[in-house]
Amino acid sequence: MSQLGIAFVTGMLATVNPCGFAMLPAFLAFYVGNPGNGENRRPLLAGLRAGAAVSAGFAGVFTIAGLLLALGLRFVLGAVPWVAVGIGTVLVLAGIGLALGRSLPGGRLNIGRATGRLSASGTTTVAMAGYGAAYAVASLSCSLALLLAVVAQALATGSLTALLSIFAAYALGASSLLVLLAVAAAFARDSLARHVRRLLPVAGRLGGVALLAAGAYLITYWAPALAGGQAGGPISGVAAALSAAATAAVETNAQGIAIAAGGLMLLGALAVLTRRNHTNRLEDCCAPHSEPISPATESEQKDIH
């Protein structure tokens, strides 16, 4: 396998590490339970948008960390346990609020009694990117060996272009799995909104419970490191087993995941272009046109004056 191929698969595996493993199912559960602003009509585009935002946050943090490591600045790793516990605390508070039926700042979920329709200012792109960045920070320590392998590959090239290409392949690898899962969650959300409307009032609460569980996991996992011990906890063995199973599945199906994610992105791009062309045709067809004043009308206006 080429260096770019190794970096691509390494980025894919970074998303299923035991340190931040609980963040992935929590994101999917939260996304399914909190429909966006009319996005249920276009689940493919909604999923691609959410997946791209989470991927940008996740891959961005790992790329920056990799470049810092390439420069020899390893002090950043010492802050990971503190930041991870802080993220866990925020997730616990947000999860408790959502589980109690409250809304996150900037996001409201309204359920019409008569129609059962959903509307929300919902989960913004910035919030999704922030979640991806938090996911990456929590995952950084467990993915350090993989990240160092990518850094070593990049430094071995001796070329800035090749270095950036390797990090781009790493980011694309992480994005392919996250986008694929986000699109699947968007279609699940669409199915929930259309066919299981009785669950809509509790869907957001269940997403809150998932965030609460993810936050509790991060606190439990990283708290021992704050006291000078080793990261991990009573539940770390279970998470490690689940992460190992997910890693094996990703390694076995890496090519299929990449092809599926690429195909979805292509379909999304075609959908956007088709929609844009349709909108332009409607504007050209139905836009009001000003009619020129006829000579007779001009003469009548002169008589009036």
Side-chain angles (χ1 to χ4, degrees):
M1 186 182 293
S2 66
Q3 287 185 328
L4 292 179
I6 293 174
F8 183 89
V9 175
T10 301
M12 200 178 291
L13 295 177
T15 62
V16 290
N17 66 91
C19 291
F21 186 72
M23 297 282 283
L24 185 56
F27 159 66
L28 299 176
F30 173 71
Y31 186 64
V32 169
N34 291 272
N37 211 357
E39 290 179 335
N40 289 312
R41 294 171 295 175
R42 300 182 296 274
L44 174 60
L45 296 181
L48 287 174
R49 188 179 300 113
V54 173
S55 299
F58 187 91
V61 167
F62 268 93
T63 300
I64 292 172
L67 292 174
L68 291 177
L69 289 174
L71 295 173
L73 303 177
R74 301 199 177 193
F75 67 89
V76 67
L77 297 176
V80 169
W82 296 94
V83 178
V85 170
I87 291 171
T89 303
V90 172
L91 289 179
V92 166
L93 295 176
I96 291 174
L98 289 172
L100 293 176
R102 298 177 182 177
S103 60
L104 293 177
R108 298 179 181 177
L109 181 61
N110 299 317
I111 304 175
R113 294 181 180 177
T115 60
R117 293 181 180 178
L118 289 169
S119 63
S121 55
T123 52
T124 64
T125 301
V126 175
M128 291 290 98
Y131 190 93
Y135 180 14
V137 171
S139 305
L140 193 57
S141 183
C142 283
S143 300
L144 180 60
L146 297 176
L147 185 59
L148 288 176
V150 173
V151 171
Q153 292 176 36
L155 293 177
T157 61
S159 166
L160 178 61
T161 302
L163 183 147
L164 295 178
S165 298
I166 288 176
F167 277 110
Y170 183 90
L172 284 175
S175 301
S176 61
L177 182 61
L178 293 174
V179 165
L180 189 61
L181 292 174
V183 170
F187 277 98
R189 188 173 71 171
D190 177 62
S191 178
L192 175 67
R194 292 188 181 190
H195 304 297
V196 199
R197 302 191 178 211
R198 291 182 179 180
L199 294 180
L200 292 179
V202 299
R205 296 176 186 266
L206 293 176
V209 171
L211 289 184
L212 173 60
Y217 174 82
L218 290 183
I219 294 174
T220 302
Y221 189 96
W222 286 106
L226 300 184
Q230 187 175 1
I235 200 172
S236 61
V238 177
L242 293 174
S243 175
T247 299
V250 169
E251 287 179 331
T252 303
N253 302 286
Q255 186 174 3
I257 292 172
I259 293 174
L264 288 175
M265 291 179 184
L266 179 59
L267 287 176
L270 291 175
V272 170
L273 291 176
T274 301
R275 184 182 171 198
R276 184 173 300 174
N277 291 335
H278 179 67
T279 302
N280 292 337
R281 285 197 298 269
L282 287 178
E283 291 177 352
D284 294 339
C285 170
C286 305
H289 297 282
S290 58
E291 296 182 359
I293 301 176
S294 62
T297 304
E298 291 179 355
S299 60
E300 291 176 0
Q301 290 183 349
K302 291 179 181 180
D303 293 339
I304 292 174
H305 292 291

